Amino acid sequence: MIETHIPEKYKQINKLLNSILESSILIKNILENAPLYNNINIESINSSGDNQKPLDIFSNDLIIENIMKNKSAKYLYSEELENEVIIENGDEYTLCFDPLDGSSNIDCNVSIGTIFSIYNNNNYLFENIILSGYVIYGFAMELILTFKDDVVKRFVYDNQSLNWIYIGNIVIPKNVKKIYCINHGNENLWYPKIRNYIDYYKNNGYTQRYVGSMVADIHRTLLYGGIFSYPCDTKNNNGKLRLLYECIPMSMIIENAGGMSINENGIHICEMNVKEIHQKTGIIMGSKEDIERYINL
Ligand code: AFP
């Protein structure tokens, strides 16, 4: 039961958290049958100019509908929507979410996920954040959850008891498996400091792993250690990943697990101001020693 893992001062968040998790169970059920849907390859374009699949939209709408039903939040910001949704008489919380991150991997059955963060009142200032989490839809469905200044907890969904089972706390290990994670296809576009940083891994017997689904790549990084980076480059001058929906929640998780998460200028992602809800950023995150190595270059 997740409820027993919610710190006393945040107990009221239970209703909202449950709405998200109930939605994720439905999303998982739909994803399990995704190859059966003949409309799976239909694409449209969302407000950030990305390809948007029907299951992106389905997941987005499902989460919003569930929260509208029990009015467990008032302000909803989704990566799939241009503007916020305001729920009249909703509880005074802000939910920021990426309903189905990594969705370009749906067709080939690679793990994807839902990323979310909850703030007090009507704002998304990090000082008001309550929790961050993600659900990963793999052959097991897992939930990673962390509250402000707290440990990072890992749960797995048990299909028999229909409950989330607590597995343990996560502390990101040192990079003993010698893994680094970056899209090498962009190498020609990288700026010199990133190239120099990544050269170290290339030249010292490290293994490169890249799923192309942030949830899957971060999940591995949390559990095995190493780095994940999607830097700014000469094509994506401001990076590719979204600060509010992807980078801040994932950075809070990584940092609460003892890791570090910064942009190319060494600024902690969690300390960055969100000036625009669909703002992007470059990011380098993972085991502390690896991120310090970047800072000390
Ligand atoms: P999609 O949701 O369009 O699949 O994008 C996934 C994502 O936002 C993130 O999950 C990945 O880390 C990143 O994009 C992969 O981007 P590249 O395909 O450019 O490497």
Side-chain angles (χ1 to χ4, degrees), residues 50-51 56 79 98 100-105 183 186 210 212-215 217 228 230 240-242 246:
D50 301 325
N51 287 334
D56 286 314
E79 194 203 270
D98 182 351
L100 209 52
D101 185 68
S103 57
S104 63
N105 287 305
N183 183 347
N186 294 332
Y210 190 75
S213 158
M214 190 188 192
V215 174
D217 281 320
F228 167 84
Y230 205 116
K240 176 181 179 191
L241 302 178
R242 295 77 174 169
E246 297 169 312

Side-chain angles (χ1 to χ4, degrees), residues 53-110:
K53 300 223 170 196
L55 284 175
D56 286 314
I57 302 161
F58 167 85
S59 307
N60 177 69
D61 295 354
L62 182 75
I63 292 170
I64 293 175
E65 274 165 30
N66 276 344
I67 293 171
M68 274 179 164
K69 269 189 225 152
N70 69 4
K71 296 192 183 298
S72 54
K74 189 164 186 178
Y75 313 96
L76 309 184
Y77 294 85
S78 166
E79 194 203 270
E80 298 300 333
L81 300 178
E82 198 168 344
N83 299 309
E84 73 269 34
V85 172
I86 299 179
I87 301 177
E88 219 175 301
N89 299 323
D91 293 344
E92 287 288 325
Y93 295 116
T94 295
L95 169 69
C96 302
F97 65 109
D98 182 351
L100 209 52
D101 185 68
S103 57
S104 63
N105 287 305
I106 291 174
D107 294 342
C108 59
N109 205 2
V110 161

Side-chain angles (χ1 to χ4, degrees), residues 172-184 190 194 197-202 206-211 216-222 224-231 254 259-262 283-294:
I172 187 170
K174 286 189 177 173
N175 195 356
V176 283
K177 286 185 187 275
K178 299 185 90 176
I179 295 173
Y180 72 105
C181 177
I182 193 164
N183 183 347
H184 261 290
W190 293 343
I194 281 290
Y197 179 57
I198 297 299
D199 274 352
Y200 171 86
Y201 295 109
K202 279 171 68 179
Y206 281 70
T207 296
Q208 192 258 4
R209 292 275 183 265
Y210 190 75
V211 177
D217 281 320
I218 296 296
H219 200 60
R220 185 199 52 250
T221 306
L222 257 184
Y224 292 176
I227 62 140
F228 167 84
S229 179
Y230 205 116
I254 287 277
M260 269 175 89
S261 182
I262 57 172
I283 188 165
I284 309 156
M285 68 204 303
S287 302
K288 202 169 172 209
E289 303 72 20
D290 286 80
I291 307 308
E292 283 170 347
R293 207 175 54 71
Y294 175 85

Side-chain angles (χ1 to χ4, degrees), residues 122-168:
N122 178 20
N123 68 64
Y124 36 74
L125 285 176
F126 192 70
E127 61 197 48
N128 289 314
I129 203 162
I130 295 174
L131 63 82
S132 291
Y134 65 81
V135 172
I136 179 165
Y137 309 108
F139 46 86
M141 177 163 65
E142 292 191 34
L143 164 69
I144 301 296
L145 188 66
T146 191
F147 286 82
K148 190 170 189 187
D149 302 324
D150 205 351
V151 295
V152 176
K153 297 195 173 189
R154 181 182 185 192
F155 304 83
V156 66
Y157 188 71
D158 176 19
N159 286 311
Q160 302 297 318
S161 66
L162 306 182
N163 269 322
W164 291 98
I165 311 293
Y166 170 63
I167 301 294

